Amino acid sequence: MTTLAPPPTPTDENSHRHRAEPPAGGGLSVRARRLFTGAPEDPRWARPALWAILLLATALYAWNMSSLTGNDFYDAAVYSGTKSWKAFFFGALDSGSFITVDKPPFALWVMGISARVFGYGNWQLALPMVAAGVGSVALLHRMVKRDFGPVAATVSALVLTLTPITVAITRDTNPDPILVLLMLLGAAGLLKAVRSGRLMPLVWSAVAIGFAFNTKMMQAYVVLPAFFLVYLWAAKGKLGRRIRNLAVAAVALVVSSAWWMVIVDLIPASDRPYIGGSTDNTVWDLVIGYNGFGRIFGASSSVGSSGNGASFGGTAGIYRMFNEIVGGQISWLIPFATIALIGGLVLRGRAPRTDRKRAALMLWGGWFVLHYLTFALAEGTFHPYYVTAMAPGIAALAGAGGVMLYGAFKDRSAAKWAWVLPAAITGSAVWAIVLLQRVSGSGTLYTVAEVVAGVAGAVSVLGLLVGRFMKRNKLMGFAALAAVVALLAGPAAYSASAATSSTNGTNPTAGPSTGGMGGGPGGGGGMGSMSGSKSGSTTGQPPTGTSGTSGTKPSGSAPSGSGGMPSGTAPGGSSSSSSSNGESTEAGSSTSTDGAAGGGGMGGDTQVSSAMIKYLKKHQDGATWLLAVSTDQTASSIILESGEPVISMGGWSGTDNAMTLAKLKSLVKSGKLHYIIVSDSGQGSNSAITAWVKKHGTAVSSSAYSSSSSTTSSSSSSSTSSTSTSSGLYRLDASDVS
């Protein structure tokens, strides 16, 4: 058990002796053996422990992968990209490339390549996310091991694996797992540049962050201040050389970040999709507005049907990470990580400027603190799953800082350190009990986790103190293991719940619902108990059995178990079967073009049922787009149900100016669009579209399609028959354009 202490760093002489050249012809076999047994200087348990953690991560992230459901919004864009290379490049929601999603397309490209190679389906979209999640665990282990040894690396990898929100988001099709992996690659390059003083690792670090920017834009830059300070302070070489290298890396960062944006913005607007989420149809506006300062200062807080985007994760403030919505997702080890960071920096206080351990602590501490402040204080749209980006910092500090505190605790000559490690363990163990008390009564799993956290925490603290006083190193080693059990019991329970859920959607979370808008049973939809959606409904089910390379379209029938058309996902993670005020309609039978999010009523209050979709496909008459609706949520669900391109006229929230009256007339006149849904609530610039459609179009009575499909559920028939003779659906032909 004494192997809990980090092993001494081997000298160059010892390293050379242990790594003697393999005999001729045996080089490959030796390297293959080391893949499973580890380096000769490592403890025998180190590499098997890593493989066990990677297997655990794979099991948690990929369990029942073929039935995983993701975010309809991104799923539809990936599907469209398998049908059109133009849609693939731009990240368009529809294969006709009318409008893009509100993020850059790198994550869509990764999923799209998987779908083109293996065919479109649930597991094909989930596969890249699982690979990114497991890859992040392996990369973090490697990075921490290099500076702090195998014990710290093992603890760090296990903490990241069991971070609840990381499990939930990796089982989804939101882009965050790709973002985290790219940011970790950037951190690996930075630390290599710090150790070596060479330029190219720093350049590759910048390139990795540039690709992360093309995954979620400004969120990728949260870590940049820490990267800059760590390199400027700790890298080898004179100050002038360090500044020069940073300048070169900055150029690489700009190029790798901006190339796609520049290409898209240079293309005439008439030759490309509208940039979803922007106010002026440019990627630059999306960068600095909706996906940039709007997230921090609240300019984007009106996005989404709930009005205030911050409500998805609770009110902005320094304690947001500990509230009832976000706390169970990420905060379990924040007390321990904070103490470990401070203690570790103090322990390395007199080390040389280029000290590797201090540089790594500065990096991981900066990663953690910058993300914490950004997410806690953000006034704009904030979803709980964003905090998965904070998990590597917490995990690295828990492992590296924990090992450093353990080493200081064992030094009996340093009396002032005798209380630090026990205090850190006590703080996080008590906080774990508080979090589990919040969900008491949610199931035996959480009750057991609460008991384990309390008992193992007490055993750990007492064992450490008694072992130090009585000079029993084995007892202290056992107590350290008990601490790991105590601090990970709660996250493990939440992660297990997320791993057994197949329904995630727009706002995936782990653990039981806490009654807030960010939770959901078993990692399900973010509206939790407030959504009112019926149990067993499926959110975002991709059309299975379709091939991205063969051109086969979805059959039009709902996936097994959904009962009808896949329900769309509204902002906050609720199924589109829930209206903006939280009231429920029947999930799976139809999707409502929500007037509240309809951008002035272009397509409000109409139930788009499977029967209507069948009618539209029958009467498409060669049009490029099957239908025009108000929002991305509605359009994405219809795309996945029908396999046909559908126009989202107003983007995610319905407020984008993607559709103008002139553009609509042009599409109708050219025969590219025949059907559009509007409502009586048109306002502002959209009122002109509504008025023109109602004046020149032919209203389609719900009776024309309500009984045309035997597959429509009774609830769907009820929904459509309850509408008046005017369902909000209109037919337009070239002759209607004056």
Side-chain angles (χ1 to χ4, degrees), residues 176-199:
D176 296 72
I178 304 292
L179 172 74
V180 170
L181 178 60
L182 289 169
M183 291 169 68
L184 279 171
L185 287 170
L190 177 82
L191 289 178
K192 186 173 183 179
V194 168
R195 290 190 300 267
S196 67
R198 293 187 288 117
L199 171 62

Side-chain angles (χ1 to χ4, degrees), residues 621 623 664-675 692 696-698 731-738:
D621 297 335
L664 177 62
K665 288 181 178 180
S666 175
L667 293 174
V668 171
K669 189 172 183 178
S670 62
K672 294 180 179 179
L673 176 68
H674 290 309
Y675 291 95
W692 184 83
H696 297 278
T698 301
R731 165 100 187 198
L732 291 157
D733 292 288
S735 59
D736 296 319
V737 181
S738 57

Side-chain angles (χ1 to χ4, degrees), residues 361-448:
L361 285 173
M362 290 171 61
L363 172 67
W364 298 121
W367 183 305
F368 161 56
V369 172
L370 288 169
H371 276 103
Y372 184 99
L373 294 176
T374 299
F375 295 145
L377 302 178
E379 295 284 350
T381 301
F382 172 76
H383 291 280
Y385 66 80
Y386 294 172
V387 300
T388 190
M390 189 164 60
I394 294 174
L397 290 174
V403 164
M404 293 180 71
L405 293 184
Y406 181 75
F409 179 82
K410 288 181 64 178
D411 184 2
R412 295 177 178 84
S413 64
K416 63 182 180 180
W417 289 98
W419 63 271
V420 180
L421 181 61
I425 295 170
T426 301
S428 274
V430 169
W431 177 241
I433 294 171
V434 171
L435 288 173
L436 292 166
Q437 278 287 314
R438 289 177 177 176
V439 296
S440 59
S442 298
T444 305
L445 181 65
Y446 306 104
T447 302
V448 171

Side-chain angles (χ1 to χ4, degrees), residues 441-661:
S442 298
T444 305
L445 181 65
Y446 306 104
T447 302
V448 171
E450 183 180 347
V451 173
V452 170
V455 173
V459 168
S460 172
V461 172
L462 289 174
L464 285 171
L465 295 175
V466 172
R468 189 177 194 274
F469 178 76
M470 299 182 65
K471 300 181 180 180
R472 299 289 182 88
N473 287 339
K474 288 187 177 181
L475 178 58
M476 287 193 292
F478 174 81
L481 285 176
V484 174
V485 173
L487 301 188
L488 291 181
Y494 268 63
S495 295
S497 119
T500 54
S501 171
S502 61
T503 303
N504 285 338
T506 306
N507 194 37
T509 54
S513 173
T514 55
M517 295 181 69
M527 297 293 285
S529 61
M530 298 181 66
S531 69
S533 60
K534 296 183 183 290
S535 62
S537 66
T538 304
T539 304
Q541 178 84 9
T544 57
T546 61
S547 172
T549 55
S550 67
T552 305
K553 293 182 175 64
S555 64
S557 61
S560 175
S562 68
M565 174 181 168
S567 57
T569 49
S574 67
S575 164
S576 66
S577 60
S578 299
S579 64
S580 61
N581 62 5
E583 296 177 352
S584 172
T585 60
E586 191 74 26
S589 61
S590 60
T591 184
S592 172
T593 54
D594 185 1
M602 292 191 302
D605 307 327
T606 296
Q607 298 293 329
V608 183
S609 64
S610 296
M612 180 188 286
I613 292 173
K614 184 175 181 179
Y615 173 88
L616 291 170
K617 293 184 71 173
K618 182 178 180 180
H619 297 88
Q620 191 171 353
D621 297 335
T624 302
W625 286 278
L626 181 71
L627 177 67
V629 295
S630 62
T631 66
D632 290 342
Q633 305 99 286
T634 303
S636 59
S637 289
I638 301 174
I639 290 169
L640 292 176
E641 168 74 3
S642 68
E644 297 292 335
V646 175
I647 287 177
S648 168
M649 297 183 287
W652 176 256
S653 64
T655 59
D656 289 357
N657 295 317
M659 180 66 82
T660 63
L661 182 56

Side-chain angles (χ1 to χ4, degrees), residues 206-241:
V207 170
I209 298 301
F211 276 92
F213 177 89
N214 281 302
T215 302
K216 283 199 79 176
M217 290 188 171
M218 294 291 280
Q219 187 177 338
Y221 285 178
V222 171
V223 295
L224 284 183
F227 281 27
F228 176 85
L229 290 175
V230 168
Y231 186 83
L232 190 63
W233 173 264
K236 292 181 178 179
K238 295 182 179 180
L239 179 61
R241 181 182 179 185

